Amino acid sequence: MSKPTTNAGPFFPRDRNWHPKAMSPGYKTSVLRSPQKALLSFGNTISETTGPVFGHNIIGELDHDLIQNYAKPGESAQGERIIVHGHVLDEEARAVPNALVEVWQANAGGRYRHKKDGYLAPLDPNFGGCGRVITDENGYYAFRTIRPGPYPWPNGVNDWRPSHIHFSLFGSGFAQRLITQMYFEGDPHIPLCPIVRTINDPAAIEMLVAKLDMNHTVPMDARAYRFDIVLRGRRSTMFENRMEGN
Amino acid sequence: MTKLEYLKESPSQTAGPYVHIGCTPNFVGNTGIYKEDLGVRMVNAKTKGQRITVKGRVFDGTGAPMKDAMLEIWQADGEGLFNSPSETRGKADPYFTGWGRQPVDMETAEFCFETVKPGAVPFPDGRSQAPHINFWIVARGINIGLNTRMYFPEEEEANAADPVLGRIEHRMRVPTLIAKQSGDKYTFDIHIQGDNETVFFDI
Ligand SMILES: [Fe+2]
């Protein structure tokens, strides 16, 4: 990892074969929710390279602690206590500081605190399932939470999601916006999941699998998982085309 | 020997049906964690420029409105400046965030942004871009967030000269990016798929 990027130029083009295709028939909902016509490609303009800044002042004291941030005083969320941490980097392995990282997840039984989730596993009265942090000057972030449970979903007759945490990333420009999911090393559901399998390259799937990190485990308290995230890199503006005389 | 060593971008995954829990928890009644959902207010009493409302719905390939979509917009202020540290042309209105986030209503499927009409901004080669709002759409079934833009119907001349609209080969598709106007209210419907499919961008 090297110093944070100071580039403000256009983002590196997205590798659309590395990302899941919009239409992935194994994930049935994508069939009618995928554009069929070619995307319009054009180089980034200032509307794509710029983006808002989220001040550290928006972050509350417990926003990074899903074990406590919805719990009644003196109580805490149920489940396997874990720390999820890592660096947000760009494609040149430079830290992305001040990135907004938002997470959401099911509880230890695989149930979401959402009016549209009707899974029979019970809600945990002490677990809300959301958290957020802003990366520090080294692109580092850390959450404390519980390991979410797998849950069944209507796709095939017996499809189950692997344990996963949803991640939303906001870097330094609007075209860098990314939503993804984090999986857990060793989970046998990963290769079976139709949503995981929207990604074709096994090396790309591997990027979404957090690794058990015994070095950051807190003894007698919580295990740690390491999950680094890579956002699009960007060119320097030094040699960008300009009209002569500008 | 020089080696080209780049990391790959983390691959996208769908936001799923429960994106609200993480991005707009108050909207689904998960209150008490964040004071307010991020991006819910773009303007305040001091914001300069012409106030507008942008509403619309997101339709799937059968023409059914999607009830679990979430949208984010990013735009210049009334003078054409972005409230962003990488804006070098001047100082944007500090009372306008330029960034909004709204889930669609779970019953009516409608989204609504209260914002200001953006000014024109330059294209990299120095030409002018017509006033526009950048959109980013996620939902269950969308594997990677969709980018598009909304343009303004009353800006006929600027739209005709816009370098991005000018790149659309099939001219009959240009209107998919142009909102409908009724006073200060604009309607921008997004069609993910079908005959009237919105032009989406690879940017
Ligand atoms: Fe999920």
Side-chain angles (χ1 to χ4, degrees):
Chain A
M1 196 183 66
S2 48
K3 282 205 297 253
T5 181
T6 50
N7 294 341
F11 290 103
F12 298 167
R14 260 195 168 133
D15 182 349
R16 298 260 167 190
N17 292 315
W18 177 258
H19 286 286
K21 292 283 193 302
M23 158 84 93
S24 307
Y27 175 24
K28 294 179 181 179
T29 313
S30 75
V31 173
L32 284 167
R33 292 184 167 199
S34 43
Q36 303 295 297
K37 298 184 169 66
L39 302 179
L40 180 71
S41 299
F42 58 93
N44 289 172
T45 79
I46 191 167
S47 299
E48 288 77 38
T49 56
T50 52
V53 172
F54 300 99
H56 291 262
N57 61 319
I58 66 165
I59 302 292
E61 218 176 305
L62 293 177
D63 284 7
H64 71 292
D65 187 354
L66 287 76
I67 289 181
Q68 294 295 341
N69 70 17
Y70 198 77
K72 296 179 195 71
E75 298 183 16
S76 57
Q78 289 196 24
E80 298 175 24
R81 297 161 65 85
I82 58 171
I83 290 159
V84 175
H85 74 131
H87 286 90
V88 180
L89 308 172
D90 72 10
E91 290 168 282
E92 294 183 293
R94 293 172 186 271
V96 182
N98 301 314
L100 175 67
V101 184
E102 296 165 291
V103 298
W104 64 101
Q105 62 167 88
N107 69 21
R111 173 79 182 270
Y112 283 99
R113 186 170 287 282
H114 192 286
K115 53 187 79 165
K116 298 283 180 196
D117 186 4
Y119 183 33
L120 50 82
L123 285 169
D124 174 351
N126 289 311
F127 189 68
C130 83
R132 63 184 178 188
V133 298
I134 289 177
T135 57
D136 71 11
E137 67 276 15
N138 300 312
Y140 182 76
Y141 77 90
F143 291 99
R144 189 168 74 156
T145 186
I146 52 89
R147 179 174 168 136
Y151 58 83
W153 60 297
N155 186 65
V157 291
N158 190 25
D159 280 328
W160 291 73
R161 295 303 325 280
S163 292
H164 63 278
I165 300 177
H166 296 264
F167 271 73
S168 165
L169 280 300
F170 215 127
S172 57
F174 197 62
Q176 212 176 21
R177 200 75 184 79
L178 181 72
I179 279 182
T180 189
Q181 301 183 26
M182 183 200 103
Y183 304 102
F184 290 83
E185 180 178 23
D187 187 337
H189 285 290
I190 295 172
L192 304 178
C193 174
I195 288 178
V196 172
R197 290 164 72 158
T198 60
I199 302 170
N200 284 318
D201 191 326
I205 293 172
E206 193 56 27
M207 282 188 79
L208 301 184
V209 180
K211 304 295 181 295
L212 178 66
D213 181 0
M214 290 301 285
N215 286 340
H216 281 82
T217 287
V218 182
M220 309 304 287
D221 180 345
R223 293 178 304 145
Y225 279 88
R226 179 147 193 129
F227 183 54
D228 292 334
I229 299 154
V230 181
L231 300 181
R232 298 170 72 178
R234 33 167 70 190
R235 302 203 301 265
S236 86
T237 49
M238 201 182 298
F239 301 112
E240 294 305 317
N241 292 326
R242 285 195 188 87
M243 269 176 32
E244 295 300 323
N246 276 15
Chain B
M1 162 109 172
T2 303
K3 274 200 242 161
L4 269 184
E5 284 185 8
Y6 290 102
L7 302 177
K8 296 293 286 185
E9 186 186 7
S10 296
S12 174
Q13 291 270 262
T14 180
Y18 308 127
V19 63
H20 315 104
I21 296 173
C23 293
T24 60
N26 292 290
F27 172 75
V28 279
N30 296 351
T31 54
I33 308 175
Y34 307 151
K35 203 169 71 195
E36 172 177 271
D37 292 336
L38 269 187
V40 76
R41 276 184 301 123
M42 300 176 71
V43 294
N44 64 27
K46 294 181 181 163
T47 306
K48 295 194 210 87
Q50 179 195 344
R51 298 301 176 93
I52 61 168
T53 304
V54 177
K55 286 187 178 191
R57 290 186 292 172
V58 185
F59 297 93
D60 73 12
T62 69
M66 292 162 53
K67 295 182 172 175
D68 52 47
M70 183 183 83
L71 300 91
E72 291 182 359
I73 63 173
W74 173 241
Q75 62 164 95
D77 68 9
E79 301 294 322
L81 295 169
F82 288 95
N83 192 347
S84 173
S86 42
E87 172 62 86
T88 54
R89 298 168 299 142
K91 187 156 169 39
D93 180 356
Y95 302 111
F96 180 62
T97 67
W99 178 72
R101 170 189 279 173
Q102 293 287 345
V104 302
D105 185 278
M106 284 195 274
E107 302 305 323
T108 66
E110 198 169 58
F111 63 82
C112 180
F113 291 95
E114 303 287 344
T115 182
V116 297
K117 184 173 174 182
V121 300
F123 199 62
D125 66 5
R127 282 181 289 168
S128 182
Q129 304 189 65
H132 63 272
I133 298 176
N134 275 38
F135 273 70
W136 184 74
I137 304 123
V138 294
R140 175 174 66 95
I142 294 179
N143 287 324
I144 179 164
L146 298 171
N147 288 99
T148 188
R149 285 183 177 186
M150 179 194 118
Y151 286 82
F152 293 83
E154 70 277 17
E155 298 283 345
E156 259 175 83
E157 228 172 281
N159 291 344
D162 183 79
V164 171
L165 291 178
R167 289 190 65 114
I168 300 174
E169 181 189 346
H170 301 96
R171 303 308 294 168
M172 62 181 294
R173 299 191 65 206
V174 172
T176 67
L177 302 188
I178 300 179
K180 296 193 170 44
Q181 183 189 17
S182 163
D184 291 335
K185 295 185 171 30
Y186 293 84
T187 302
F188 183 55
D189 285 333
I190 295 163
H191 297 264
I192 302 288
Q193 197 185 86
D195 289 344
N196 204 21
E197 184 177 307
T198 300
V199 176
F200 295 105
F201 300 162
D202 180 18
I203 46 172

